[in-house]
Amino acid sequence: METGNRVRVTPLIGAHSEGPVSYLLQLDQVTILLDCGWDDHLDPTTIQPIIDRVGDIDAVLISHSDTAHLGALPYLVGKKGLNVPVYCTLPVHKMGQMFLYDIFLSRQAAELDAVFDLDDVDSAFSLVQPLKYSQCIHLAGAGGDQAAITVTPYLAGHLLGGTLWKISKETEDIIYAVDLNHKKERHLNGAVIETFNRPGLLITDAYTALRPPSNARADKDLSDVLLKVLRSDGSVLMPVDTAGRVLELVLTLELMWTHAKLGAYQLVLMTSVAYNTLEFAKSHLEWMNDAISNSFDHHRTNAFTTRHLHLCHSKEELLALGPGPKVVMASMGSLEVGPARELFSDWAGVPNNLILFTDLGQPNTLAREVMHKVARARQHESVARMHAHASQPAPSERVAFTLQGRARVALEGEELREFEIKRDVQEAEAQAARVAATVAVPSTHGWSNAMSQPHPQDQASPMETDATQGGQIDGEKSGRTGKWKCLCEGFEPDQEAAGPMFPHTNQMEAWDDYGQPLPESFLASFNQAQQDGKDTMEPDDSEVNDDPTAEPPAPEIPTKIVDSTKEVVVRCAVLYLDMEGRSDARSIKMILQHMAPLQLVLVHGSYEATEALKCHCEKALAPAKVYAPRVGELLDCSSAIAAYKVKLTEEIMSKVHFKRVDAEYEVSWIDGQLGHVPMGERHIPLEPLDSETEVPHKAALVGTVKLSDFKHTLTAAGVPAEFSGGVLLCGGNVTVRKDASTQKLVLEGALSEDYYKIRGVLYSQYHIL
């Protein structure tokens, strides 16, 4: 006899830490990997806990497109054999590719070792099954008759296509929600959280549990800072991600450049995939907020068709824009690799410049070190005092960073001579191998040695051989068969051939398949190739290219990779403005109180933030269970309520009348009694009640009605209605309000014709069982 579902959660990485995230959810016999993030160091030891569990994973759910949520996917698929369905939204699919392409190309440009290549990225995303918001996917259970697991994505905000996941099985609802943003932004709507109420388990993060409320004047502060630096002939470096929060910054700065008329200053986006990122953003407007979608639908105005933004893919393209003050958004935000690291090395020593961080970024990176050591990562209320408020080192101070790098340089001197000698020896050996292969080309028309050996009966005896030997002019005749062994003087048949065969060379036709004559140079090349024993019919490049003025290809210059060290002294201003697009501490606490989960698991946040949010939730959400597990700790989050599975008998099913609630569900009221469980059965049979014990049941209202929607319904029915202090006034004598504790609608008023009419309209919004 089965009870409820068994739910277990194991943080693989990202617990009591602000680094990448990955968690293992085991729902009965199905194992789901929730995100598989990595940092910009790409150190395999960081994700070793994920690698150890690759064989147990049945599906992967990706919530956001940045490397902190999907960075390890190419390595797991290409190098560790992960081959399971991967679910995410379409923007996460496309923008996630941009993130991984950019980090690979950036490491390649810096001559750093890559643990995965572009083929691994393509292989990983070939497993992706893109979903739309609210689209349900069923994951089959391990048992034959077990109910399927339903997975549904919902809007999470923060990044384009960002997702919070609802994982359901029977009566068990599990919500996975990390990096939420409930606020509406320039290009994204806020997270959908009002649809979730009292889930069985909520897995969320404590990343911003100690974060103060976001500054309402963030855009004004950003404008003041940029104008101050640009008008002092300085440049601004903004380390950003590849295809995530940078989209919000692009719209913000583009609008700023238009309103403030800053056309004299250059606005640049510099990543390895800048063009593709903007093109994908232009084609995913339906995933953005309502204002952007409506603007395109009604006026065909694309918000990402920019007027002031310059796209650069390398430092050379940036230099081609010319000198002068500019604002450059460059990847990576961690400053560990990419164009941002190069520009930091070049611009940090100029006092008039500014390094502006809009995201705290990954821990244990150069970006974090710069913010903590120079700017102390503090957002200043008075941006006008930026240079005097510990955001720029004093002239007497010397804040320096040692940057390790690798560079490719040409070989010189003795190294070049050794390389040339080794190359000449290899070419000579290769030429000798080609000549040997041409001489010893096996016959393609002969039989095997065993089949080409003469039969013992066909071999001439010594007596016959001696009797038939003589000075033959044209050949030697077999003693027994009387056949000539040589057809003509100088011809020796192939020993592997089935019989004597003359060599044959295909003659090239003088015209092609369309009847056009072929050039003599092509015919000469083909005949020469036949004589040399080549298999190709293509002419050499020298014969195809008849232009005598064409320059020969430049010889390849031998190079080597050397490690380099550079000391960077920071003399420019360094500032952090919070534009991460995450809900602050106060908002997170209100969201958790609204959702009121039965069990709460806190992950992804510093130890201090996680413990602070845990203490708050233990008081505010009592009697809910609150967990803050460490990496590798197994939590058993199975429901404490004993839920038994019952089997409806045919007799009781014949009396059931279903009513359709929406496109997916039908409901019915059933009165029955539990029967005896037969031996070997896992389900309890539900049998109909006796006629003596059967009693009518009270009416049950199924559905959810919002006051705002009910107001429009009343207006359409001819009943005037308006809001006053959160209460809906209907017809002057009747009020409708929502009870805060039960979340039910309460109808109050004097018994009258209006009261019964309004009650009838309200009942019509529900399904009555």
Side-chain angles (χ1 to χ4, degrees), residues 37 62 100 121 125 127 130 172 235 260 265 272 290 318 342 371 377 440 477 496 549 578 617 623 634 678 720-721:
I62 303 297
L100 297 174
V121 176
F125 282 94
L127 302 176
E172 193 82 34
S235 294
Y265 307 109
S272 301
D290 300 334
L318 179 65
E342 297 182 51
M371 281 187 281
K477 195 173 183 180
E496 296 184 358
T549 62
D578 184 4
C617 293
L634 176 63

Side-chain angles (χ1 to χ4, degrees), residues 10-17 19-24 33-39 44-51 67-69 72 176 603-604 630-632:
T10 306
L12 300 180
I13 56 176
H16 290 91
S17 168
V21 299
S22 183
Y23 314 103
L24 206 64
L33 183 65
L34 305 175
D35 288 326
C36 51
W38 214 351
D39 54 28
T45 59
T46 305
I47 59 171
Q48 189 60 43
I50 309 177
I51 298 173
T67 54
H69 294 84
Y176 174 64
V603 293
H604 190 218
R630 297 184 179 274
V631 171

Side-chain angles (χ1 to χ4, degrees), residues 315-358:
K315 189 176 179 180
E316 290 72 19
E317 294 182 11
L318 179 65
L319 295 176
L321 296 178
K326 54 179 65 72
V327 175
V328 180
M329 296 174 285
S331 63
M332 302 289 181
S334 62
L335 294 182
E336 288 298 318
V337 72
R341 185 181 179 93
E342 297 182 51
L343 294 182
F344 173 78
S345 175
D346 297 338
W347 291 6
V350 181
N352 290 339
N353 289 344
L354 169 66
I355 309 297
L356 177 59
F357 294 96
T358 58

Side-chain angles (χ1 to χ4, degrees), residues 35-64:
D35 288 326
C36 51
W38 214 351
D39 54 28
D40 290 346
H41 296 290
L42 299 187
D43 183 5
T45 59
T46 305
I47 59 171
Q48 189 60 43
I50 309 177
I51 298 173
D52 295 339
R53 303 298 296 270
V54 164
D56 302 331
I57 299 171
D58 297 312
V60 180
L61 304 182
I62 303 297
S63 56
H64 294 283

